Amino acid sequence: MMGKFEGIDKPKLKELPQIKERISFLYLERCLINRHDSAITVTDERGTVHVPAATLGVILLGPGANISHRAMELIGDTGASVIWVGERGVRYYAHGRPLTHSSRLLETQAALVSNIRTRLAVARQMYQMRFPNEDVSQMTMQQLRGREGARIRAVYRLASKKTGVPWNGREYNPDDYSDSDPVNKALSAAHACLYGVAHSVIVAMGCAPGLGFVHTGHERSFVYDIADLYKAEITIPIAFDVASQNPDDIGAVTRRAVRDAIADGKIMERIAADIRNLLLTDAREEDFITNTVNLWDEKNGFVKNAVSYGKELDEPDLADDEFVLTEGYGTILEDE
């Protein structure tokens, strides 16, 4: 289907964090992506479609997708995230730059994950979100993993009973998407979409995808942490529903089902709010959009950037039109 949307003005930075009105994600493969005014153009053998760039939250680029420099420039300006993925979106390769200019969340995340006590506290908070009626404040990680394992197995059994899809466990080959039964294929495709959305929000907020609290040792550990908060609610039911229909292209049908389920942007808004609540207790919007660079100081925390420090150490007899290049960089240059 071909269509054209009117171009829209580049949004201001303060408007960009309001992602609840954006399209959650757009998966593209075997096409040419370019730019026309404030829209990206997607061209394949069926024709060209114009998509307003500022309405996108995440663009998942699959095999055969070629994107121009001008398109990436526009996408970067509008704050959308770009993630390069494998066929059907089930493998991650790379992603674009974060939206925020502040490192506050990143520094807080690094501090929390580097301390056993605070890391355990955040992990407990994540589990508490999944067990709202239980007190997990004193549970060890081993106990939390056991409770989560029991919960997720119950979710699978309930979905199997509801849809009539046989369930023999989560079995799949990450290197061969086709080497599994239909429901596991659907789960892989659905989870990949959720990972993409979670990854997009994480990097857009300036957090580190690799600094997880429950998961560890992987470049997307924090992505898995966050995505796990929503699987039982979103992707697992969708995967079983699609598997019960037994479509020819189960990956594509699953992706569209996930897209439709989160198209209102509420999941992206929830992820952003949950990350802030997990990492910060006094988060303000301006903390994430302020374009400020400071210098670190071991006593004061930080001092102003773009200030000429150490004037008292200047050589008094060195004229303004002279400067010295240190050894290894050349010779002394003097005014001719």
Side-chain angles (χ1 to χ4, degrees), residues 42-327:
V42 183
T43 304
D44 62 12
E45 68 275 6
R46 296 169 294 180
T48 300
V49 174
H50 290 64
V51 183
T55 65
L56 295 172
V58 192
I59 301 177
L60 303 175
L61 298 181
N66 292 299
I67 188 166
S68 71
H69 183 277
R70 295 192 69 242
M72 283 301 303
E73 178 185 24
L74 175 62
I75 292 168
D77 286 342
T78 57
S81 291
V82 180
I83 302 177
W84 283 262
V85 297
E87 191 167 5
R88 299 182 177 89
V90 297
R91 292 183 67 89
Y92 159 84
Y93 297 121
H95 69 268
R97 68 173 179 84
L99 167 61
T100 181
H101 292 301
S102 170
S103 64
R104 185 185 179 198
L105 270 175
L106 176 60
E107 292 175 1
T108 303
Q109 179 190 10
L112 291 172
V113 81
S114 301
N115 180 283
I116 294 178
R117 180 181 58 82
T118 56
R119 182 172 185 171
L120 179 58
V122 174
R124 284 172 174 162
Q125 191 176 350
M126 287 180 174
Y127 282 109
Q128 187 68 72
M129 295 169 66
R130 285 171 271 186
F131 303 101
N133 299 322
E134 295 186 28
D135 181 9
V136 301
S137 60
Q138 301 301 317
M139 287 189 181
T140 65
M141 287 302 297
Q142 182 178 3
Q143 292 171 326
L144 292 170
R145 286 194 299 270
R147 290 291 299 117
E148 173 65 3
R151 181 188 79 106
I152 209 69
R153 285 192 296 273
V155 171
Y156 283 134
R157 287 196 301 268
L158 180 61
S160 176
K161 182 178 180 180
K162 180 180 178 180
T163 61
V165 175
W167 176 248
N168 299 310
R170 184 75 171 107
E171 298 177 355
Y172 66 100
N173 182 354
D175 296 320
D176 186 358
Y177 174 78
S178 61
D179 186 23
S180 58
D181 58 23
V183 68
N184 273 290
K185 289 181 182 179
L187 284 167
S188 294
H191 292 341
C193 295
L194 184 58
Y195 293 151
V197 173
H199 197 142
S200 171
V201 177
I202 287 168
V203 298
M205 296 177 70
C207 296
L211 295 183
F213 293 85
V214 176
H215 295 82
T216 189
H218 191 273
E219 61 186 342
R220 292 210 291 174
S221 293
F222 193 48
V223 176
Y224 301 143
D225 280 0
I226 297 300
D228 278 356
L229 300 177
Y230 316 102
K231 285 181 179 179
E233 174 187 349
I234 300 174
T235 52
I236 293 176
I238 287 175
F240 275 84
D241 285 342
V242 173
S244 69
Q245 303 166 19
N246 196 27
D248 291 335
D249 191 345
I250 196 168
V253 175
T254 302
R255 283 196 304 272
R256 288 193 291 268
V258 174
R259 178 197 61 197
D260 293 343
I262 62 179
D264 58 7
K266 291 182 179 179
I267 185 61
M268 300 180 74
E269 186 178 11
R270 283 176 58 190
I271 293 173
D274 287 342
I275 290 174
R276 283 194 287 259
N277 291 335
L278 287 167
L279 302 183
L280 298 175
T281 58
D282 58 344
R284 299 171 301 172
E285 202 65 66
E286 55 265 29
D287 291 329
F288 312 110
I289 62 177
T290 303
N291 190 1
T292 302
V293 179
N294 295 305
L295 301 178
W296 177 77
D297 184 84
E298 80 276 17
K299 294 182 179 179
N300 301 314
F302 66 86
V303 294
K304 289 184 178 181
N305 183 43
V307 174
S308 180
Y309 294 101
K311 289 184 177 180
E312 68 278 6
L313 301 179
D314 290 347
E315 294 291 340
D317 58 345
L318 186 62
D320 290 340
D321 56 359
E322 297 177 338
F323 64 93
V324 178
L325 293 180
T326 59
E327 183 178 357

